Amino acid sequence: MIRDSYNRMHNYLRISLTDNCNLRCFYCMPEEEYEFAPASKLMQKDEIDELAKIFVSLGVNKIRLTGGEPLVRKDAAEIIKTLSKLPVKLTLTTNGSRLHEFVDILDESGVHSLNISLDTLQPERFQLITRRDQFKRVFDNIQMLLKRGFHVKVNMVVMKGLNDSEINDFVEWTKREPVHVRFIEFMPFSGNRWASNKVVTMQQILDTVSEKYEVERLQDEKHDTAKGYRVPGHLGTFAIISTMSANFCGDCNRIRLTADGKMKNCLFAEKETDLLTALRSGIDVVPLIHQNIRGKAKELGGQFTTDFEHLHPEEIHNRSMITIGG
Ligand code: SAM
Ligand code: SF4
């Protein structure tokens, strides 16, 4: 069992397959010229499998593949197939642009629930946010997955003055499709143009939805980061991930492994443990895993609190989101 000093059990591993991506979301990638890590620095397929098995032997029973964009990795299909043999719930967070190539592999591998990121329902705005013209591809892929009966959660990062006017368009989408929209409060990372006045809080999101709809609170599952809601009569649901205004650290069960094999015990943790180098040197990584988790801070990597209005993002020591794995 992987237990921290606050008695939190950690059974959920998020593995980043790559820091590479075919989109360029400004809130995720640093603004300056960014060089993707060379393949030799990344965990190789067998190393991912080996590390995943070690985590499973320590009690991990859920693995999420993420990135960067996990599906741009050349051996993504092989990795999905290999990890699907482990006794875990395997799932994926993707920008959706390659799902038409992977839907059968996901189906065969038993990955029937996944998170797809889409911050706007407007093609021009999609281009503005992601700097790529892929709206139709992503939207069509979401529709295709829904038609095939997948459980689709759509991640929408809400940013004031950019896409917050679309909150109710997303809720309206849940009326006719069994889609599960998750509004995410905008989070600060290295070089991502975050400012406290661009955050739209959970309460503001709820107020906006309540102006138009009757809203019913849903029962959340244990360890859920999202607070769930439904508009009565709608086929889908919506939820809010309130990292900034009401964090859910008290119940955290998540561990992250970056694409270059560093263990992070929190999205905002500064300290990392290099499991890949240890593995390559034949060093037992189990004590390193326990040591890392024992150092986990109570909340938000020990770097800030919910009082985010006074937060100066340059004071947070962290990587950019794309190199952590969301
Ligand atoms: N490429 C995949 C995707 O876009 O879904 C997986 C990686 S991405 C880093 C994972 C999630 O993190 C996405 O839903 C993305 O919207 C979210 N994300 C990235 N930067 C963020 C930020 N600054 N604040 C909130 N969410 C963010
Ligand atoms: Fe790529 Fe996902 Fe980051 Fe956008 S949010 S740049 S799609 S990794």
Side-chain angles (χ1 to χ4, degrees):
M1 287 295 162
I2 309 171
R3 192 194 300 263
D4 74 359
S5 59
Y6 298 93
N7 214 17
R8 293 175 292 198
M9 303 289 272
H10 291 71
N11 59 355
Y12 179 10
L13 176 66
R14 303 167 75 108
I15 305 177
S16 172
L17 296 189
T18 176
D19 65 340
N20 202 334
C21 190
N22 54 347
L23 302 186
R24 294 286 181 275
C25 307
F26 72 85
Y27 56 73
C28 175
M29 269 206 185
E31 263 188 350
E32 65 270 18
E33 200 53 36
Y34 180 68
E35 276 191 35
F36 298 117
S40 63
K41 286 256 164 74
L42 301 184
M43 294 182 289
Q44 303 302 300
K45 182 170 83 63
D46 292 346
E47 292 167 335
I48 293 173
D49 189 35
E50 205 175 333
L51 285 171
K53 280 183 175 146
I54 293 170
F55 276 101
V56 169
S57 75
L58 297 174
V60 162
N61 57 17
K62 178 172 176 183
I63 294 181
R64 175 175 300 280
L65 302 179
T66 179
E69 172 47 39
L71 301 184
V72 301
R73 186 162 160 150
K74 285 199 180 68
D75 52 2
E78 302 297 310
I79 293 170
I80 292 167
K81 280 191 221 158
T82 307
L83 294 184
S84 72
K85 297 193 182 105
L86 297 176
V88 294
K89 180 175 193 281
L90 182 64
T91 175
L92 180 77
T93 300
T94 170
N95 65 30
S97 63
R98 295 249 168 116
L99 280 171
H100 53 292
E101 297 168 36
F102 282 86
V103 60
D104 291 331
I105 284 149
L106 292 171
D107 201 359
E108 286 157 21
S109 305
V111 180
H112 292 121
S113 170
L114 62 168
N115 294 5
I116 306 175
S117 302
L118 183 66
D119 302 314
T120 173
L121 297 170
Q122 301 179 13
E124 309 78 48
R125 192 170 282 166
F126 183 94
Q127 169 115 29
L128 192 76
I129 295 172
T130 68
R131 295 176 243 170
R132 293 293 182 271
D133 180 17
Q134 291 274 329
F135 174 79
K136 188 171 175 338
R137 173 61 87 190
V138 173
F139 193 74
D140 288 352
N141 279 345
I142 293 175
Q143 298 292 350
M144 184 251 309
L145 256 71
L146 289 172
K147 215 173 264 170
R148 286 186 58 159
F150 282 74
H151 186 86
V152 178
K153 295 180 186 167
V154 170
N155 286 352
M156 188 246 201
V157 181
V158 190
M159 291 161 283
K160 200 165 278 173
L162 182 59
N163 61 354
D164 54 338
S165 59
E166 292 188 60
I167 290 171
N168 281 337
D169 297 343
F170 276 83
V171 175
E172 189 64 20
W173 190 13
T174 70
K175 184 175 183 177
R176 49 184 199 279
E177 310 270 10
V179 64
H180 304 283
V181 172
R182 287 144 44 102
F183 298 115
I184 305 179
E185 291 180 352
F186 185 22
M187 298 183 278
F189 293 98
S190 177
N192 84 339
R193 291 200 241 160
W194 183 91
S196 62
N197 62 6
K198 289 188 195 163
V199 176
V200 183
T201 63
M202 173 166 72
Q203 194 51 53
Q204 290 165 336
I205 294 169
L206 277 177
D207 289 348
T208 301
V209 180
S210 304
E211 278 169 20
K212 187 165 173 198
Y213 302 95
E214 186 190 327
V215 171
E216 186 184 297
R217 181 79 167 90
L218 297 173
Q219 179 79 40
D220 299 325
E221 280 178 28
K222 198 166 162 39
H223 302 302
D224 229 334
T225 54
K227 294 168 185 72
Y229 298 85
R230 173 196 297 281
V231 176
H234 282 204
L235 292 178
T237 63
F238 74 93
I240 305 174
I241 301 183
S242 55
T243 313
M244 302 307 296
S245 69
N247 73 54
F248 28 80
C249 304
D251 190 32
C252 185
N253 64 341
R254 289 170 296 281
I255 304 165
R256 291 183 150 79
L257 200 49
T258 63
D260 57 354
K262 310 279 194 324
M263 176 176 167
K264 274 174 93 78
N265 57 35
C266 170
L267 192 50
F268 298 104
E270 180 180 5
K271 191 174 171 297
E272 303 176 345
T273 302
D274 188 351
L275 299 187
L276 181 58
T277 303
L279 187 80
R280 286 180 178 173
S281 319
I283 295 169
D284 182 6
V285 301
V286 173
L288 301 178
I289 292 171
H290 288 300
Q291 194 183 25
N292 177 294
I293 218 75
R294 274 197 300 272
K296 179 161 174 155
K298 192 170 173 216
E299 60 176 3
L300 301 168
Q303 301 223 51
F304 58 103
T305 65
T306 40
D307 184 19
F308 71 87
E309 274 95 353
H310 303 109
L311 177 66
H312 297 289
E314 62 285 355
E315 287 168 9
I316 300 177
H317 303 283
N318 202 357
R319 301 174 175 224
S320 57
M321 179 63 132
I322 196 155
T323 62
I324 302 172

